[in-house]
Amino acid sequence: LLLFHCKSCGKDHWRRIDGEETTALCNCGHAEKVRRADLTLIEYNCPECKKYSFGLTNHNEPAFDSQCKCGSPVSVEYSYKRKKYEAMT
């Protein structure tokens, strides 16, 4: 799965990706080519429902807020040691 961050509208959407390169389409209509090699792992447990979520993302900032399927916000940050985004502690 891809947590796609749209550079046009700024919203995040979970999308399925297949292959090494794909075109991610946002609900606003913006389309962007993404390469698996340019993506970063994201994984966390929701602090509310405890659901484990993981995938890849095209985010590139040090920290951002994601959203669990239950609707709860999840703040994640990039771990330089683990080379992935994970829930802030």
Side-chain angles (χ1 to χ4, degrees), residues 14-48:
W14 285 100
R15 300 287 187 244
R16 181 172 299 278
I17 57 171
D18 296 315
E20 292 302 312
E21 184 174 304
T22 191
T23 300
L25 181 62
C26 179
N27 293 347
C28 75
H30 176 76
E32 184 177 328
K33 285 196 180 223
V34 291
R35 292 180 43 224
R36 189 178 293 268
D38 297 333
L39 303 175
T40 304
L41 179 64
I42 178 172
E43 63 179 340
Y44 57 82
N45 288 309
C46 175
E48 295 298 319

Side-chain angles (χ1 to χ4, degrees), residues 68 71 73 85-86:
C68 179
Y85 285 100
E86 51 193 11

Side-chain angles (χ1 to χ4, degrees), residues 49-74:
C49 72
K50 309 301 182 214
K51 180 183 182 320
Y52 173 70
S53 297
F54 69 97
L56 298 170
T57 185
N58 65 329
H59 272 277
N60 59 6
E61 57 269 19
F64 63 93
D65 290 328
S66 185
Q67 186 173 6
C68 179
K69 287 186 178 184
C70 76
S72 296
V74 181

Side-chain angles (χ1 to χ4, degrees), residues 77-86:
E77 65 184 341
Y78 185 74
S79 169
Y80 290 93
K81 181 179 180 180
R82 294 184 181 98
K83 296 185 169 64
K84 66 181 178 180
Y85 285 100
E86 51 193 11

